[in-house]
Amino acid sequence: MQQLELIYFSAVRFILPALTVLMLIISVKTVLHHLKRKTLARFAIENYENVVEIKSAECMIGRSILCDVRLKNPTVQKEHAVLTLTDDGFKLTPASRQAEVFVNNYKVDDEAYLQSGDRIRVGGSTLQIAVNPAINMKASYKADHAQKQCRACNAVLLTLFQLLTVICYILHSPKTALTTMAVFGAIMALEWIYLPIRGFKSNVGVEIMAFFLTTVGLCVSASKSSELLIKQGIFFAAGLLAFIFMGLLLSHLNAVDKLRIPVMVLALLLFFYNCFFGTVVYGAKNWVSVFGFLFQPSEFIKVALVFVSASALDKMLKMKNLITFLGFVFICLLCLAYIRDFGAAAIYFAAMMVILCLRLCDLKIVLGLGGAALAGCLFIIRFIPYITDRFATYLHAWDYASSGGYQQTQTMMSIASGGLFGLGPGNGNLNRVFAADTDLVFGVISEEFGLLFSLCVVLCFVLYVVYASVSIPRTRSIYYAVTASAASAIFLFQTTLNLFGSVDLLPLTGVTMPFVSNGGSSMIAAWMLLAFIKLGGSQYVVLRSKEAS
Amino acid sequence: MKRLSLRAGVMLALAAIFMLGLTFFLVLYVSNANSWAMHAGNTHIYTNGEFTGGGDVLDRNGKVLATTKKNKRVFNSDTTIRLSTLHAVGDANGFISTGVQTAFRDKLSGYNLITGLFSSTSGFNDVTLTIDSNICAAAYQALGGYKGTVGLCNYKTGELLCMVSTPSYDVNSKSDLKRAKDGELEGVFMNRFLSATYAPGSTFKIVTAMAAIENFDDAYTRTYNCKGGGEIGGETVKCTGYHGDISLEQAFAVSCNSYFSQLAVDLGAKTMTEYAEKFGFNKKYDLDGISAKTSSFNVDKARKIELGWAGIGQYNDMQNPLQYLTSVTGIANGGTPIKPYLIKSVKNSWGFTLKSGSAKKGRRICSGDTAEKVAKLMDGAVRITYYKSSFPGLDVYGKTGTAEVDGKTPHAEFIGYCKDDDYPFAFVVVVEEGGSGNYLAKNVANQVLQAAKQSYQK
């Protein structure tokens, strides 16, 4: 039996990374597919002198070089009108009060819905719109056959991965075999209930990747203890529910807009509660206890931050909208500083920078804020003892291998011990080190599954970022573009701080790796953020057959 | 949307920065992973700072010198074998940095960049050494409490059969370790065979003779006068005897200082340096990658009399035993040395041989003709001064040295080889403060050679 086990482990350590690499390649292929864009409408300018194809659901008409429909007419404003594709069709809105817009010679005061053949007068220019009749107003993402096959294939690969891993854990610790089987069985069941209902034609690639990452997280838990595995399994189910709920909410942009202020208020109230009644765990007062459950408000407020970060393009360009958002982030950062959660503060700040950038803010403002933040960071590093201590061993972990640099050096030793293919699930030693299942997860998975595998894991987060950014031009609303980008940037940022912190290339801040690190708040928040990325990929569908005609 | 699409570049930039960081980490990983994995804090191969993550260390006959049982490193049960193989095998705490258990712990643990330490679950590697623990034990006993070192190899195959350094301590004895750590045993953590250098004394006359043979047509006929010493520029190099007018063969056999110091001066600093370096001085040597201390010969700033002293292995000349042994194999092999090696084979837990040592030729030290002539001189020295009967059953060619050390009894040295196809042994013996080379060092050499012979007869 011992020999058999060894043979199984020797084989599996090569099969698991191979499956993962395959999954990643297929995912990259489907993401790149998004680069292809189809025409939603055509504008004929000045009696067919010029024809502009509209490929994005929100576009700007004006004189500026950065407008989607550029009119080189001095009577046109730099940014004159906004064209938005909504569930009810194309909507035209003047970009400012000075901008006069006429549709079929009627002046547009607030907004106007367009139909094919409508003549639009913007300043001294006239345009005629021809809407692509193949647009499916149901406004959800539908993929072609090849894409569907890719996703189904990935789902099968994932299940295979899970099965092989479960057998490893059963062989490794037969005593807890039942628990392991139950938890992994349950999540596999959830996946196979969820995925067919959603259908492989929709962009479930986003979820499949998250299922994979969550599975990796469950492995980290399983290596440590079976109680942790059960907990993490429950959090996964909760996360999936939260994800479905968020998805439903976000698909109603009107509701989102109405909820913007209430969510801000609620988030701030929660933060204040945390500041005054929070529980201190390991030097940071970032925990709140409700009915005996400890959770981290900052994780959920992060979701709120993304939720309130944008509006539809027409509303977002107004100054008031920006100021309320900035005020909200500022108060959040103050609260985080007060509860000494500087890792989270860094994440919030990074998210804000990405959001400002994508909200088309003046780059001077963005850079100015960045500079101010840098100065602030240097101040914090220099003068706050708890942070200064963290920096004492930073970049010198090997000199303090048995004291301040213990976690980092143990992580590096474990990564090296694992080699490219790992020691096999459950065979690691790093999970005995303090906070290994949250802060040092990169080391834990490298040790047990190998560096090749853990690189694939972190590349998933890069892929989310790429997915969010290639979805931007086709997204249904700038709201989805901004929030999806912000959410994916948060993922990547957390991964950066977690991974490089654990190998002493950045200070160890105790930031979690989304989906993978242990912890309920972090898991549920990650799934909620995923909903933004998912919606970012949704778009108005152009049916193939009709388009051809 | 056009502007937004441009701004989306920020996202790709973020991803690019992350990938750069990841690349940087991977570069670090590739260049440092070995030292990370081998760190004493790695619980896969260390237990409380003690190296336990290795398979067996065996001698050439399969005798287990060290192994791991229940997370504890266990050494051979025979005390003399433990003491005599200490520096070759090394300890579990890494005090002896050149020992196999420290220098080759990655091979013992089976670590490599690709599979990591998977061997920690499947079984560690066994390393078989070329040394024979019986010969080592004989050498340890022959040294009889003196500090020093003995190295013996097969000059045809390069296998290092014996590598002993004294003082030694018993790894099983806590009080021994304490004495070692307290510094009571001078240089106990150092393997003298690899990491020490000694004044070569008269053994260096081999180099001076080589230079003369290749540079002077009248090398065998020219004579120098010895009046209990040789005069060089008004100063005298002392000699142990009163040899009168003496020629090369005689002078080599009786180890006349007067002859060789005057010869060195006549050869000149440049030629002497050239031949010393050909012989291996000032050159880097290593044993399977464990680097040895470099032998040195430097007469750039020497006065005439100092050059004279340098010609007989004094002044600032320093020899390293590994380098000496290698060069002796050169004389035995007609000018081309064989590099001694220690790792006979590395086998993984499935029994596959991952690595096996083999003979590698070194840099030629002299022409085949010269090697033959020098060999004849060494033969003569044994015949006339040390006597062939000192080595029963073996035809030993050699040269002793008595290296003067300031204010101490001189070090006794003996280097040479057996001219015998059945027993192709080359050896280096250094007995610190052992007096004349023709006494203690010679006896130690004989005992070790007899043990080696016995081991080869089996």
Side-chain angles (χ1 to χ4, degrees):
Chain A
M1 190 58 206
Q2 190 71 30
Q3 203 63 25
L4 205 69
E5 195 181 319
L6 195 58
I7 292 167
Y8 181 76
F9 268 92
S10 305
V12 149
R13 63 199 286 259
F14 295 108
I15 299 171
L16 293 183
L19 286 178
T20 315
V21 168
L22 201 60
M23 271 193 271
L24 201 63
I25 290 171
I26 294 175
S27 302
V28 169
K29 212 183 124 201
T30 54
V31 167
L32 291 183
H33 184 82
H34 276 239
L35 288 172
K36 291 182 207 155
R37 291 159 63 189
K38 284 165 187 159
T39 308
L40 299 171
R42 285 188 183 86
F43 270 123
I45 302 169
E46 315 284 8
N47 288 327
Y48 294 92
E49 221 172 66
N50 205 344
V51 175
V52 179
E53 300 208 327
I54 302 296
K55 290 183 174 180
S56 41
E58 262 176 33
C59 63
M60 183 70 79
I61 303 167
R63 187 160 46 89
S64 158
I65 192 164
L66 291 166
C67 287
D68 302 83
V69 181
R70 193 177 169 205
L71 303 166
K72 291 177 195 161
N73 188 331
T75 57
V76 177
Q77 305 269 334
K78 272 194 170 172
E79 289 178 350
H80 202 117
V82 180
L83 183 76
T84 325
L85 180 57
T86 68
D87 293 355
D88 303 318
F90 279 99
K91 185 176 84 172
L92 191 69
T93 325
S96 61
R97 265 183 210 174
Q98 298 83 24
E100 291 197 322
V101 179
F102 296 87
V103 173
N104 298 333
N105 288 330
Y106 289 101
K107 187 165 185 281
V108 179
D109 290 325
D110 207 13
E111 56 184 41
Y113 284 90
L114 303 180
Q115 274 164 9
S116 261
D118 280 349
R119 294 180 71 84
I120 304 150
R121 188 147 58 80
V122 178
S125 296
T126 12
L127 313 126
Q128 193 170 18
I129 188 168
V131 179
N132 186 343
I135 298 173
N136 184 335
M137 286 306 166
K138 267 193 193 155
S140 71
Y141 179 95
K142 283 260 159 44
D144 58 23
H145 192 62
Q147 292 265 337
K148 183 184 156 187
Q149 275 181 334
C150 282
R151 298 209 174 87
C153 177
N154 257 359
V156 172
L157 286 177
L158 173 64
T159 309
L160 197 60
F161 173 85
Q162 288 164 332
L163 285 173
L164 289 174
T165 318
V166 170
I167 296 172
C168 283
Y169 283 112
I170 292 170
L171 286 174
H172 189 267
S173 38
K175 278 184 198 162
T176 54
L178 266 177
T179 322
T180 316
M181 279 196 279
V183 175
F184 275 89
I187 69 154
M188 278 188 261
L190 274 180
E191 282 163 22
W192 282 103
I193 293 167
Y194 176 85
L195 290 174
I197 290 177
R198 261 301 155 95
F200 287 105
K201 274 199 163 180
S202 64
N203 61 342
V204 284
V206 175
E207 289 98 313
I208 293 174
M209 213 145 80
F211 285 141
F212 167 67
L213 292 170
T214 311
T215 308
V216 176
L218 288 171
C219 292
V220 171
S221 311
S223 298
K224 199 169 161 104
S225 78
S226 56
E227 293 86 51
L228 216 56
L229 178 65
I230 298 172
K231 254 190 178 172
Q232 217 45 23
I234 293 168
F235 289 137
F236 162 70
L240 188 58
L241 280 178
F243 169 77
I244 295 167
F245 167 76
M246 282 298 283
L248 287 174
L249 176 64
L250 289 176
S251 57
H252 297 92
L253 268 185
N254 289 333
V256 169
D257 215 53
K258 279 182 195 125
L259 279 172
R260 203 169 166 255
I261 299 296
V263 164
M264 278 194 207
V265 173
L266 248 161
L268 289 182
L269 284 178
L270 184 58
F271 241 155
F272 294 147
Y273 182 83
N274 183 6
C275 288
F276 295 112
F277 306 104
T279 313
V280 181
V281 180
Y282 304 124
K285 195 180 177 182
N286 51 3
W287 295 83
V288 163
S289 167
V290 176
F291 306 119
F293 287 102
L294 268 180
F295 75 100
Q296 270 184 302
S298 65
E299 290 284 352
F300 295 101
I301 294 165
K302 196 161 60 192
V303 181
L305 173 89
V306 176
F307 186 83
V308 304
S309 66
S311 298
L313 184 59
D314 44 351
K315 294 201 182 88
M316 208 180 72
L317 290 174
K318 299 195 171 88
M319 204 59 184
K320 198 181 128 202
N321 190 301
L322 178 67
I323 287 168
T324 44
F325 171 67
L326 280 179
F328 173 72
V329 180
F330 187 66
I331 299 173
C332 285
L333 287 174
L334 281 182
C335 289
L336 286 170
Y338 180 76
I339 61 173
R340 289 178 159 200
D341 193 345
F342 293 102
I347 304 287
Y348 276 49
F349 186 81
M352 181 185 80
M353 297 296 282
V354 169
I355 289 164
L356 288 184
C357 215
L358 289 170
R359 279 183 62 130
L360 311 176
C361 271
D362 197 333
L363 279 178
K364 277 179 218 146
I365 299 176
V366 180
L367 290 176
L369 274 170
L374 203 70
C377 286
L378 291 176
F379 177 82
I380 289 169
I381 293 163
R382 182 76 186 77
F383 293 108
I384 299 193
Y386 148 81
I387 296 293
T388 314
D389 282 354
R390 293 239 163 175
F391 274 82
T393 59
Y394 172 51
L395 290 179
H396 300 94
W398 290 103
D399 301 337
Y400 302 89
S402 52
S403 55
Y406 182 71
Q407 287 173 299
Q408 294 94 320
T409 50
Q410 283 293 325
T411 306
M412 285 185 258
M413 284 175 215
S414 302
I415 296 171
S417 301
L420 284 189
F421 300 102
L423 305 178
N427 288 337
N429 283 355
L430 185 63
N431 53 39
R432 295 178 207 151
V433 174
F434 170 71
D437 56 335
T438 54
D439 299 2
L440 316 178
V441 280
F442 185 77
V444 174
I445 54 179
S446 295
E447 188 182 29
E448 301 195 353
F449 293 85
L451 188 62
L452 198 61
F453 176 84
S454 56
L455 286 179
C456 287
V457 169
V458 294
L459 285 179
C460 286
F461 296 105
V462 176
L463 204 56
Y464 275 135
V465 168
V466 174
Y467 178 71
S469 70
V470 300
S471 311
I472 286 176
R474 312 190 312 166
T475 188
R476 281 161 61 200
S477 160
I478 192 168
Y479 177 80
Y480 296 130
V482 173
T483 53
S485 304
S488 65
I490 287 176
F491 281 174
L492 190 66
F493 235 82
Q494 287 190 214
T495 309
T496 307
L497 289 183
N498 182 285
L499 158 56
F500 296 124
S502 70
V503 295
D504 202 37
L505 293 178
L506 286 177
L508 192 62
T509 42
V511 169
T512 57
M513 188 184 283
F515 304 107
V516 184
S517 284
N518 245 319
S521 313
S522 151
M523 170 74 90
I524 295 169
W527 276 99
M528 288 169 92
L529 285 176
L530 189 72
F532 291 104
I533 299 177
K534 167 98 177 169
L535 266 287
S538 72
Q539 55 187 317
Y540 288 92
V541 176
V542 180
L543 298 176
R544 235 193 209 176
S545 52
K546 285 188 189 170
E547 191 192 34
S549 63
Chain B
M1 273 303 162
K2 203 168 172 183
R3 274 175 68 181
L4 192 61
S5 302
L6 284 175
R7 289 283 178 97
V10 171
M11 303 285 293
L12 294 177
L14 277 182
I17 291 169
F18 178 82
M19 294 301 278
L20 261 177
L22 210 55
T23 313
F24 179 69
F25 169 72
L26 287 179
V27 170
L28 272 187
Y29 173 81
V30 170
S31 45
N32 297 325
N34 193 312
S35 65
W36 293 352
M38 291 302 129
H39 191 272
N42 191 345
T43 48
H44 287 292
I45 52 169
Y46 282 87
T47 313
N48 302 325
E50 201 172 279
F51 178 77
T52 49
D56 299 349
V57 179
L58 308 140
D59 85 341
R60 62 182 296 108
N61 305 317
K63 194 179 277 179
V64 178
L65 302 177
T67 185
T68 293
K69 272 180 196 155
K70 290 179 189 159
N71 274 339
K72 194 96 188 111
R73 202 68 182 154
V74 181
F75 294 86
N76 191 283
S77 54
D78 185 285
T79 315
T80 313
I81 287 180
R82 279 201 303 276
L83 286 164
S84 61
T85 58
L86 172 76
H87 293 91
V89 175
D91 59 328
N93 301 96
F95 289 126
I96 299 163
S97 60
T98 54
V100 166
Q101 297 207 101
T102 302
F104 297 118
R105 61 192 192 279
D106 52 347
K107 289 199 175 65
L108 268 171
S109 64
Y111 174 81
N112 68 58
L113 207 62
I114 310 295
T115 61
L117 281 171
F118 186 65
S119 47
S120 67
T121 52
S122 65
F124 295 113
N125 292 349
D126 294 338
V127 171
T128 304
L129 304 182
T130 54
I131 61 166
D132 183 318
S133 56
N134 292 329
I135 306 176
C136 290
Y140 181 81
Q141 275 164 340
L143 280 166
Y146 279 93
K147 289 171 192 159
T149 179
V150 176
L152 183 139
C153 74
N154 179 324
Y155 61 74
K156 284 184 178 158
T157 63
E159 291 165 297
L160 187 65
L161 300 169
C162 169
M163 175 169 71
V164 171
S165 171
T166 51
S168 183
Y169 72 93
D170 186 358
V171 278
N172 281 3
S173 156
K174 282 203 174 123
S175 61
D176 255 31
L177 180 62
K178 191 174 177 301
R179 280 176 60 209
K181 278 206 243 176
D182 291 348
E184 282 177 43
L185 309 163
E186 186 209 339
V188 68
F189 295 133
M190 173 172 77
N191 182 351
R192 285 167 155 75
F193 180 74
L194 294 170
S195 311
T197 51
Y198 296 99
S202 299
T203 57
F204 191 80
K205 287 170 185 160
I206 293 176
V207 178
T208 314
M210 252 178 207
I213 291 167
E214 294 201 349
N215 284 279
F216 292 148
D217 293 335
D218 61 344
Y220 282 90
T221 50
R222 70 161 60 204
T223 56
Y224 290 101
N225 189 264
C226 171
K227 294 180 273 196
E231 255 185 59
I232 296 168
E235 292 175 86
T236 314
V237 172
K238 264 210 216 159
C239 186
T240 49
Y242 190 95
H243 301 114
D245 283 339
I246 193 165
S247 67
L248 178 65
E249 281 170 296
Q250 271 294 315
F252 192 91
V254 299
S255 199
C256 176
N257 288 349
S258 312
Y259 181 92
F260 281 96
S261 54
Q262 292 177 77
L263 183 63
V265 173
D266 283 354
L267 283 161
K270 210 180 139 203
T271 312
M272 282 307 294
T273 307
E274 183 195 333
Y275 278 84
E277 291 189 350
K278 262 177 127 177
F279 195 71
F281 284 84
N282 302 338
K283 295 276 188 289
K284 287 192 174 357
Y285 281 77
D286 68 270
L287 183 64
D288 286 323
I290 310 171
S291 47
K293 195 166 176 191
T294 306
S295 304
S296 63
F297 182 86
N298 185 350
V299 289
D300 292 349
K301 287 176 189 152
R303 295 182 293 126
K304 260 195 172 174
I305 181 77
E306 288 167 337
L307 179 60
W309 280 112
I312 57 165
Q314 296 293 154
Y315 183 47
N316 60 6
D317 302 0
M318 289 303 237
Q319 59 96 345
N320 166 265
L322 171 67
Q323 179 261 313
Y324 248 35
L325 184 64
T326 312
S327 301
V328 169
T329 66
I331 299 170
N333 286 319
T336 309
I338 293 272
K339 286 183 176 173
Y341 66 90
L342 179 63
I343 307 288
K344 193 171 164 68
S345 68
V346 180
K347 281 186 181 149
N348 72 7
S349 57
W350 310 81
F352 292 120
T353 302
L354 303 173
K355 186 189 177 222
S356 52
S358 58
K360 285 194 186 72
K361 282 184 180 166
R363 202 172 20 84
R364 182 172 268 282
I365 56 164
C366 61
S367 69
D369 187 44
T370 309
E372 210 166 288
K373 284 177 176 161
V374 170
K376 212 167 174 201
L377 291 177
M378 289 164 75
D379 182 32
V382 177
R383 266 177 219 290
I384 295 165
T385 311
Y386 322 135
Y387 308 123
K388 293 275 171 181
S389 59
S390 303
F391 312 97
L394 291 164
D395 185 13
V396 172
Y397 289 34
K399 180 78 194 80
T400 59
T402 309
E404 301 290 341
V405 191
D406 289 338
K408 283 188 196 166
T409 318
H411 294 338
E413 299 176 21
F414 192 28
I415 63 173
Y417 64 97
C418 299
K419 180 93 177 157
D420 192 326
D421 282 343
D422 292 332
Y423 308 117
F425 306 134
F427 61 88
V428 171
V429 173
V430 179
V431 184
E432 290 179 25
E433 299 178 42
S436 165
N438 191 10
Y439 172 61
L440 247 176
K442 186 176 77 177
N443 288 347
V444 171
N446 179 48
Q447 287 179 50
V448 179
L449 286 169
Q450 296 303 334
K453 184 185 167 194
Q454 209 174 25
S455 154
Y456 262 51
Q457 275 170 344
K458 278 178 198 167

